[in-house]
Amino acid sequence: MPRRTASERHVATTPATADIGGETGSALLDVLTAFHHPTRRWLCELLAVEGPATVGRLASRTGLAVGSVSHHLGTLHRYGFVEPAPDLARDTRESWWRSRPRQVSWDATDFGEGTVARRIASSAEAENFRHHVRAVQRWLAEGEAAPAEVRHAAVATDSLVTATVEQMAELSRRLTDLVVEWGEECRADAEVRPDVRRLPVRLSARVFPSGPVKP
């Protein structure tokens, strides 16, 4: 039996819906389960930061088996986080992938208390938090070796202010708008000045009510 081409192998994981980024209900739960898996999140970020890669290159980069990488990429493809990059292949058997940026937003309380759906949504939020903690821990461990201009450009800030619910919601909206606008400016600048040195910059912000934290 002739070996299937990369394009033929990708057909089975092609997203079934055009509503990527607007999922609700059980479809949203499937997205959360697919994305909030440490290995799949890692593969997503490798493609986003280091650029398109073949399955073999990702396997070498991560130490994972080729079959495992293919399986995870297939899952990420089905839910719109990555996409095939056949234009980079030297022949039809070579399987290249690239990052496909998309938004995921959810609120665990949208699902009934005590339900499996609620547990899935809550677990995704907890894993998302753990992912950010791992990123911060890595920066704390390696940051002192970074160039001075990089250390000075980074920031850690927090505040504890009494505010109304409406004011808290306004802060959330303004932060979100700022981050989206800044990201668009960075992407536009990268197209105009592709040769300028750039760093993968992570931003994690949370706005939530909090009483005094006991050590």
Side-chain angles (χ1 to χ4, degrees):
M1 178 181 294
R3 181 179 178 180
R4 292 185 301 166
T5 66
S7 296
E8 290 171 336
R9 296 196 299 273
H10 300 332
V11 168
T13 58
T14 299
T17 176
D19 191 27
I20 293 177
E23 298 90 350
T24 59
S26 61
L28 175 58
L29 295 176
D30 289 340
V31 171
L32 297 180
T33 301
F35 185 59
H36 292 288
H37 180 289
T39 299
R40 288 196 280 270
R41 189 79 177 265
W42 186 23
L43 290 171
C44 276
E45 294 194 349
L46 285 172
L47 289 173
V49 172
E50 300 180 1
T54 62
V55 171
R57 184 179 298 177
L58 287 171
S60 176
R61 174 71 173 79
T62 60
L64 298 169
V66 169
S68 178
V69 171
S70 292
H71 170 73
H72 287 308
L73 289 174
T75 301
L76 291 168
H77 181 211
R78 178 174 288 112
Y79 297 105
F81 292 100
V82 302
E83 62 185 12
D87 52 300
L88 300 176
R90 290 169 295 185
D91 59 57
T92 58
R93 296 171 300 174
E94 201 171 49
S95 182
W96 279 81
W97 293 87
R98 62 165 56 95
S99 173
R100 186 183 188 280
R102 59 156 296 175
Q103 299 294 318
V104 182
S105 179
W106 77 101
D107 184 341
T109 60
D110 288 342
F111 302 94
E113 187 173 357
T115 63
V116 173
R118 178 72 162 267
R119 289 198 295 274
I120 292 173
S122 296
S123 294
E125 185 169 2
E127 179 53 42
N128 192 48
F129 174 72
R130 285 191 288 269
H131 182 80
H132 289 299
V133 169
R134 290 192 292 270
V136 172
Q137 288 174 329
R138 179 174 177 177
W139 168 247
L140 292 177
E142 302 176 358
E144 290 187 6
E149 67 269 21
V150 174
R151 296 197 307 273
H152 295 159
V155 66
T157 182
D158 65 82
S159 179
L160 185 59
V161 177
T162 56
T164 66
V165 172
E166 292 77 16
Q167 289 168 329
M168 183 172 68
E170 174 63 11
L171 174 60
S172 298
R173 184 194 65 76
R174 288 163 63 179
L175 280 174
T176 299
D177 290 347
L178 176 61
V179 171
V180 170
E181 180 182 0
W182 177 80
E184 292 174 348
E185 290 174 353
C186 290
R187 286 186 286 272
D189 182 66
E191 293 183 1
V192 175
R193 302 190 299 158
D195 297 328
V196 174
R197 175 174 175 264
R198 299 178 191 276
L199 298 172
V201 177
R202 186 184 305 275
L203 168 66
S204 175
R206 288 176 178 264
V207 177
F208 59 98
S210 172
V213 177
K214 183 179 179 179

